Amino acid sequence: MTDPIDLTIKDLLQHFQAGTLSPSEYWLAVEDRIAAFEPSLSALYAYDPESARKQAEASSERWARGEPQGPLDGIPVSLKELIATKGTPVPLGTAAVDLVPALEDAPIAARLKEDGAVIFAKTTCPDYGMLSSGLSSFHPLSRNPWDITQNPGGSSAGAAAAGAAGYGPLHIGTDIGGSVRLPAGWTGLFGLKPSHGRIPVDPYYVGRCAGPMTRTVEDAAWAMATLSRPDWRDGTSLPPNDIDWMDLAITVRGLKIGVMLEAGCGLEAEPEVRDAVLAAAKRFEKAGAKLVDVGPVITRQMLDGLDQFWRAKFWGDIAPLSDERRAKILPYIYDWAKGGADISGVDAVKGFGQTIEMRKTCGALFAGVDAVLSPTNPIVSYPAEWASPTNDPQKPFEHIAFTVPWNMSEQPAASINCGFSRSGMPIGLQIVAPRFNDMLVLKLAKQFETWTGGIQQWPKPPAA
């Protein structure tokens, strides 16, 4: 058998059923992997190997009886720390909040437990999840396993680092402007932001989604059957579905696929990124798809309006805190948020209105194409210590122009690795489909993964 760390969820379940590998044996391999990487990566919060061993033992007993609890029984899973698990504090990535144990499981945690998953840790994020970075005032600095001097991105920073390092096959992040896709792109993972409401979240908010971050498309698809079950706590959740998430076959011949290389504002795509995305698009063209150059769906006015709205909203959240509490927030975040103090209610509403404008332009684009390909991230990488790719709190969202429109339009989008830079860092291809057509994103990603063979060699422990 190959290294257990390289096994997919489907492979693992087959081994569990056949008795050739138990959940306990697999967990111990993951535990060794964490021990090798974690001192350098700092991807985890509330890591509890003892609890994981007990969960894996219980799963091993169920499999031995031929009575697995569900489709993820025995599969180790990490959750971004913003996703509550009963009894564990949710620090929101910041030193400014009290550490109060959560009273109940969030929808995602509840569904995973129902299906027997081994939840072994939470994963790190920046303050309030408001950065695309591994920098936090509460958590140690999280780093990219491909090069620990570089940033994993965020805000699902720890999930990305853990996934790329092989801490098990499944990691769940959240995404309001790219926080699953951006770090997935920078760490070589497959990261899915499904249609808004497909995976119930609590608390829910405009554009806020959760999604799987995995090494293979199939692992993410397998998890969706569990994650997409409805929960009344999310008032935006979609109706129950009977989607066959593992039906990943597709013929791309005849599809009209837009290729977007200009974001419309923010950071321009670097030449290495453009070249990798174009090469990926050519694979679809070779298979019979028709490529169409498409323009941006976001403008400077839209991005600045969203920035204004988010500043005002966040300042309203932290203004009631004492001066002492606010002083504990990461300075970059606090400096950005202070700009919201002088934004009028009228201007904040105008800023929110720009989310509707994004929705309109996204809808208009998909009136003429079946799917869109674009860069996930405009740049190859940036230093681990930086708060964002610009490291400038007055220009905080210059890197999200390719990703954030699809949150506001509620459309499914994913990032999949499409190559490496000369410096050896992964480059992400974003695949976007019409609202509710999550399966088209998964099918196109799976087809691309089949053509490329996926990543053949994952990062090695920094100490090796």
Side-chain angles (χ1 to χ4, degrees), residues 54-98:
K54 291 179 180 178
Q55 293 176 65
E57 288 171 5
S59 176
S60 296
E61 292 173 1
R62 290 193 293 271
W63 278 105
R65 296 195 306 268
E67 299 174 355
Q69 188 168 309
L72 290 173
D73 201 339
I75 302 298
V77 182
S78 77
L79 302 179
K80 188 175 181 179
E81 62 107 313
L82 300 180
I83 301 169
T85 51
K86 186 176 180 179
T88 302
V90 182
L92 304 176
T94 182
V97 304
D98 291 323

Side-chain angles (χ1 to χ4, degrees), residues 133-135 141-144 148-152 382-387:
S133 175
L135 189 63
L141 177 64
S142 298
R143 297 175 179 271
N144 194 320
I148 61 172
T149 71
Q150 299 300 293
N151 212 295
Y382 58 103
E385 295 80 10
W386 284 17

Side-chain angles (χ1 to χ4, degrees), residues 258 260 293-297 360-372 406:
M260 182 187 295
D293 291 333
V294 298
V297 289
K360 291 177 182 177
T361 57
C362 293
L365 173 61
F366 273 86
V369 296
D370 298 303
V372 168
W406 317 116

